[in-house]
Each structure stands twice: as structure tokens, then as C-alpha cells.
Amino acid sequence: MLSVRVIFDPTQISRPTAIALGNFDGVHVGHRHVIAPILPQSLGDRNPRLTSTVVSFSPHPQEFFSGKLRSLLAPFDEKVALLESLGVEQLVLLPFDAELAKLSAADFMQKILIDSMQVQLISVGFDFHFGRKRQGNVNDLKNIWGERLTVIPEQKMNVGITDQAPVRISSSNIRTALAQGEIDLANALLGRPYNLVGKVIRGKQLGRTIGFPTANLELPPQKCLPRDGVYAVQVQVNQGNASAPAFGVMNIGLRPTVDGTQRSVEVHLFNWQGDLYGQELSVNLVQFIRPEQKFDSLDFLKAQIQKDCQTALRYLVAEPTLIC
Ligand SMILES: Cc1cc2nc3c(=O)[nH]c(=O)nc-3n(C[C@H](O)[C@H](O)[C@H](O)COP(=O)(O)O)c2cc1C
Ligand SMILES: Nc1ncnc2c1ncn2[C@@H]1O[C@H](COP(=O)(O)OP(=O)(O)OP(=O)(O)O)[C@@H](O)[C@H]1O
């Protein structure tokens, strides 16, 4: 597979281009509909010269205006890997600054899309807006690109078994589902299990004293964490070029029983022996089991973790495959 080129400097853009425009945090099911028309396999023989390109802003406009970092479903490395797995050839990160924020919709189309990127084909979602104060919309793009513009209608999903209204597939709805521990919903909207990838770092090493050693994960600072509590998880232990699958339980939280003050993300792997320090774990969330609690003693905590492991195992064996 070709690796995706990441471009921060607009003079380096490989052009002419076929582009999908947007932020694409998490590269969820809706995003994949928007990206599909500009992938090399869709361009085919009709447009062999166009570079398949995703265009986002960096920093995200909300970060620029608020001065605050957003929490992300897929921080930079993860986003690049996800786009690469789809077959995207180029990710252009337009530097969002005061000057770009001031560009009118007409100037954005002329200076950025036409002059700088030589855009031949465009795909966007129905509600895409651009230019100063978000004044530009799909009609403005249509006036220039005509039939060469694809507008993807709103993608929704039926979830649950009752007569609930379909849910919009959006990064915001996935973040909300994670914050509420609704892992089934988050995973359905993403089209894959929500995943935490991090290096194993040293904890207080108390876990082994209660019979449940845990691998403490170091995650990218902007990674969106789900609700604090205990989860059933599928894990890949990445050791150099090899990787080994495992089941386990994960706790996210402050660990009030041992007077923890910093939020930690720790995983206990079933039937695992050996040191994991420095190795990378890729953890798929399968099911939220319970909120974190303060126990009166380590013995009570230990008894509860034993029950958590049994509960997790029931969910995990019911999962058809181990997808990482
Ligand atoms: C499945 C599981 C559930 C846990 N639940 C709680 C909990 O409800 N309350 C709590 O204070 N700590 C909880 N913990 C965290 C333990 O306190 C922690 O693993 C232990 O203190 C070891 O920490 P260490 O890895 O820093 O040594 C849980 C850990 C695991 C693996
Ligand atoms: N459910 C959807 N249906 C159709 N198009 C979508 C959908 N979600 C996103 N898009 C489109 O995908 C592109 C990237 O959008 P963006 O990343 O802002 O999406 P989002 O998931 O709605 O994010 P957020 O929830 O943070 O607003 C845009 O062109 C947007 O219009």
C-alpha cells in the first residue's frame, strides 16, 4: 500500500487533485461516504492523473477561535493511518490563521481550491460550509464544479431495537456516546470498535499485589477518553513486527480506592504472563461494565475485579471476531 503524503506547506501539494473537504475526526461511516468518490479506485481510468486528497484545517477552526485544544477521536497519527487504509494518497492540512479565517467563500474557492490545489473533483457532505463566517455552501461549489461536485446526503443510522429515530452519524455524536459509556452506539457510528493505542508505562505497581497486574497506557494528550469506569476489551499486544491478541478488562479513572489523583487508563490481560513495559497495546472497546467506585478496602476491590473479569469474558466470547 502507498503511504499517504501529509502536506503542511501548500506549495508542496501534488496536483491536480480530487478532494474531500472536512475535518474527518474519527473517519466514521459518514466520513467514509464522503471520501469514497475521490479514492483512486473510484476515479479509475477516467481521471488517472488526479491525486486523491483529503483537505482539512490545522488547527481546527474551533481551536483557532477558542484557543483551546479539542479532544479527538483520532489524533494525528491515527487519522493518517485511517486515511491511508482507505487508499487516500494525500492529506493537505491548510494552516488556519487570521488570514485564512478572513477569506470570503469566493476567495477560498479561487485562491485555495483552484489556484493552489487545481481541484478537478470535489466531494463534501450536504451541510459543508466554508469561507468567512461559514458563508459558502454546496451551492457555491456547484456553481463552479457542476457535475464534478458530489454532495453526500445526510447519513443516519438506525440503532437499538425500538422505534427510536435514526441517529446522525457525526463525530460529536460519537464523542457523546463515549462520554456516556454507550460503546455499542459509538462503535456502530464509527463502523469499527473505538480503539485506544498507547505505550505501556509504569504505574504504582499495586495491581500485582492484589492479583491483577495492569498495563498502564500512555495515550496522545488529545485522545478522547470514554466515560470513567470498567470495560470489556479486545487487545493486540504489538511486539516489534509481531502482534498477539488477548482479552481483558480496562479501568479508566482516578482510582479513588487508592487515593489516586491522576486519571489512568489500565488494562488487565487474561492469561498473560510477562513484562509489557515499553510495548504498544491496541485496545478495542467492546462493552462498558460499570462506573468506577471507591471501595473500603483492597479486598473489596479485588472481589469486584474478579466479578468484572467474569462479566467481561461473557461479553468477549459473544463477540464473533477479534478485530484490531
Ligand atoms: C478491572 C478493574 C477495575 C477497577 N476498578 C476500580 C474501582 O472501581 N475503583 C478504584 O479505585 N480502582 C479500580 N481499579 C484500579 C485499581 O485501583 C488499580 O488497578 C490498582 O490500584 C493498581 O494500580 P497500579 O497499576 O497503579 O499499581 C480497577 C482496576 C481494574 C483492572
Ligand atoms: N452523517 C453525515 N452525512 C453526510 N455527510 C457528512 C456526515 N458527517 C459528516 N459529513 C461530511 O463530512 C465532511 C467532514 O465533516 P466533519 O468532520 O465536520 O463531520 P462531523 O462528523 O459532522 O463533525 P462534527 O460532529 O464535529 O460536526 C463534511 O463535508 C461533512 O459535511
Side-chain angles (χ1 to χ4, degrees):
M1 197 199 315
L2 283 176
S3 59
V4 62
R5 297 179 68 216
V6 182
I7 309 289
F8 292 95
D9 172 0
T11 65
Q12 300 300 308
I13 293 169
S14 165
R15 49 200 197 163
T17 54
I19 66 165
L21 273 165
N23 181 43
F24 302 108
D25 180 31
V27 194
H28 57 58
V29 173
H31 293 153
R32 297 209 285 276
H33 275 87
V34 177
I35 294 170
I38 59 90
L39 292 175
Q41 54 268 39
S42 311
L43 299 174
D45 300 336
R46 269 187 317 133
N47 294 292
R49 294 174 312 112
L50 304 185
T51 304
S52 163
T53 303
V54 162
V55 184
S56 302
F57 295 111
S58 175
H60 187 281
Q62 263 177 25
E63 288 182 342
F64 174 79
F65 289 118
S66 71
K68 285 196 207 123
L69 291 178
R70 308 165 82 227
S71 95
L72 297 174
L73 300 172
F76 181 74
D77 288 353
E78 219 181 304
K79 179 170 176 173
V80 170
L82 285 165
L83 294 177
E84 185 165 303
S85 71
L86 295 180
V88 172
E89 294 169 307
Q90 179 168 244
L91 169 63
V92 172
L93 292 163
L94 298 171
F96 195 86
D97 52 17
E99 204 182 325
L100 204 128
K102 271 194 315 208
L103 274 190
S104 65
D107 281 347
F108 179 80
M109 291 191 289
Q110 184 62 49
K111 293 186 178 159
I112 308 285
L113 301 186
I114 298 174
D115 297 345
S116 173
M117 303 191 63
Q118 294 179 4
V119 172
Q120 303 293 315
L121 293 179
I122 306 191
S123 178
V124 289
F126 69 105
D127 62 348
F128 182 72
H129 285 80
F130 59 97
R132 188 171 56 232
K133 298 190 176 159
R134 304 181 81 242
Q135 278 163 347
N137 61 30
V138 292
N139 294 326
D140 301 299
L141 296 171
K142 188 93 190 158
N143 286 338
I144 295 185
W145 279 274
E147 294 306 305
R148 292 174 297 133
L149 168 73
T150 305
V151 180
I152 302 297
E154 183 173 25
Q155 304 295 305
K156 295 186 180 183
M157 197 175 268
N158 286 307
V159 287
I161 29 175
T162 54
D163 50 359
Q164 261 178 310
V167 176
R168 185 195 153 117
I169 305 170
S170 77
S171 308
S172 313
N173 282 345
I174 296 170
R175 281 189 208 102
T176 305
L178 291 171
Q180 293 172 347
E182 293 176 4
I183 303 305
D184 284 350
L185 176 57
N187 289 353
L189 299 180
L190 270 176
R192 60 174 191 279
Y194 190 62
N195 180 257
L196 305 174
V197 181
K199 219 165 72 165
V200 179
I201 51 168
R202 282 181 197 276
K204 284 191 196 157
Q205 303 186 1
L206 282 173
R208 59 187 72 179
T209 66
I210 56 169
F212 291 99
T214 57
N216 291 55
L217 292 189
E218 181 178 54
L219 299 170
Q222 276 182 275
K223 180 74 182 181
C224 175
L225 288 182
R227 174 182 179 182
D228 282 354
V230 180
Y231 293 81
V233 292
Q234 299 173 326
V235 183
Q236 283 290 134
V237 181
N238 300 325
Q239 301 162 312
N241 288 332
S243 71
F247 286 154
V249 273
M250 174 176 73
N251 186 63
I252 300 185
L254 298 176
R255 292 158 298 147
T257 310
V258 295
D259 299 323
T261 50
Q262 306 270 15
R263 180 163 284 99
S264 74
V265 177
E266 48 181 325
V267 182
H268 169 71
L269 300 179
F270 301 152
N271 304 317
W272 188 273
Q273 255 102 54
D275 191 355
L276 288 167
Y277 292 127
Q279 291 180 29
E280 186 187 80
L281 298 194
S282 171
V283 180
N284 283 349
L285 274 59
V286 174
Q287 182 71 40
F288 177 76
I289 296 179
R290 66 167 175 91
E292 204 182 28
Q293 282 167 252
K294 183 172 169 65
F295 290 94
D296 291 338
S297 75
L298 283 177
D299 282 343
F300 287 133
L301 171 63
K302 186 177 169 177
Q304 180 58 48
I305 295 179
Q306 264 154 359
K307 286 187 198 154
D308 295 335
C309 293
Q310 284 161 10
T311 311
L313 206 51
R314 278 203 297 280
Y315 286 116
L316 292 163
V317 293
E319 278 293 298
T321 47
L322 178 64
I323 332 155
C324 280

